[in-house]
Amino acid sequence: MLSTSYICTTCGIQYEASALPPGRCIICEDDRQYVNSNGQSWTTLDRLNQQYKNIIELVAPNVYAIYTTPSFAIGQRAHLLITPHGNILWDCITNLDLTTIDLINRLGGVKAIAISHPHYFSTIVEWSRAFGGVPIYINGLDEKWLVRKDTAIQLWNEQEFDLWDKVTLIRCGGHFPGASVMYNPAGKGALFVGDTIQVAPDLKTVSFMYSYPNLIPLPKKDILQIEKAVKNIDYDGMYGAFGRYIKRDAKAAMAFSVERYLQIFE
Ligand SMILES: [Zn+2]
Ligand SMILES: [Zn+2]
């Protein structure tokens, strides 16, 4: 029987190939996500290619946002960071088509993929293979959420993990035990934050949640851990996963926001 790597329509994560769709989605059944109130449903990458297109948008020098229109599943963005020694795909989206692959190759391709946390596992294995089987870096503390395994996946277990050109992955924890951010020190420095630091709509402050869809906050100790993880680096910009960016003074925005959060806990 033909087997297919099915994709959950609510979180956009692709599972190990199977003849029939999986019975359940462990990512969506977790408190941080939700099962669609109409019930669990599945799709395939071929079907997505027919229903959706991707946009590749230059959002800062050497930074491209990649996102799907209309929005699919969680609706996050990936970012392609162009560096002298090879491009890094930070986080990932589910829809991957020939146009996207061609355009990214014209920008120099992808040398590695780094993922902030399990909600953005999407179709990482497809993306890795499309660019020659490049490594996919994931923090080892989130290994149990990998629902499609592949030899390209490389778990890192340090507090900080260096890629190249001084670009570093930093484990913050909080939203997930292995939730990480990516630091690019070029220019005045920038943080790519996934979900564990969330840029607020004013583009001047940030917040931190255990679950965004279910509105479950994080305990104080986790917020202090996130603060500590990025305290000793200098950054001016911050790139959120939903197109909200702090263009300058992001470090001050982080300090102000942590203080605001802690005052509420007093
Ligand atoms: Zn799901
Ligand atoms: Zn998340």
Side-chain angles (χ1 to χ4, degrees), residues 131-161:
F131 297 100
V134 295
I136 306 163
Y137 296 108
I138 288 170
N139 189 277
L141 293 177
D142 294 338
E143 183 180 11
K144 73 167 182 171
W145 301 102
L146 281 165
V147 292
R148 184 174 178 193
K149 301 207 165 40
D150 193 80
T151 52
I153 294 169
Q154 296 192 21
L155 301 174
W156 56 280
N157 295 294
E158 303 83 351
Q159 175 57 31
E160 297 187 2
F161 183 80

Side-chain angles (χ1 to χ4, degrees), residues 56 64 80-89 100-112 130-132 134 164:
I56 300 180
Y64 289 85
L80 186 72
L81 176 65
I82 311 292
T83 76
H85 292 94
N87 301 339
I88 302 160
L89 185 70
T100 307
I101 295 167
D102 185 66
L103 289 174
I104 290 176
N105 277 329
R106 289 166 194 267
L107 296 170
V110 174
K111 186 173 168 184
F131 297 100
V134 295
W164 55 85

Side-chain angles (χ1 to χ4, degrees), residues 117 119-120 175-176 195 212:
H117 73 294
H119 287 150
Y120 302 153
H175 182 52
F176 271 81
D195 274 358
Y212 293 93

Side-chain angles (χ1 to χ4, degrees), residues 193-265:
V193 293
D195 274 358
T196 206
I197 302 171
Q198 196 74 240
V199 178
D202 61 9
L203 309 185
K204 290 175 181 158
T205 61
V206 302
S207 196
F208 320 90
M209 298 283 271
Y210 179 76
S211 169
Y212 293 93
N214 301 323
L215 308 171
I216 308 171
L218 277 175
K220 179 177 172 180
K221 70 171 175 47
D222 285 23
I223 290 159
L224 293 174
Q225 182 186 311
I226 296 167
E227 180 195 32
K228 190 176 166 207
V230 296
K231 204 175 182 108
N232 293 324
I233 55 170
D234 284 321
Y235 56 94
D236 198 41
M238 185 181 283
Y239 296 84
F242 296 94
R244 295 206 289 250
Y245 304 139
I246 299 177
K247 289 293 175 97
R248 59 187 70 83
D249 295 328
K251 187 160 178 156
M254 175 77 178
F256 168 84
S257 305
V258 170
E259 188 56 34
R260 179 173 70 174
Y261 220 106
L262 295 180
Q263 278 177 10
I264 293 167
F265 279 107

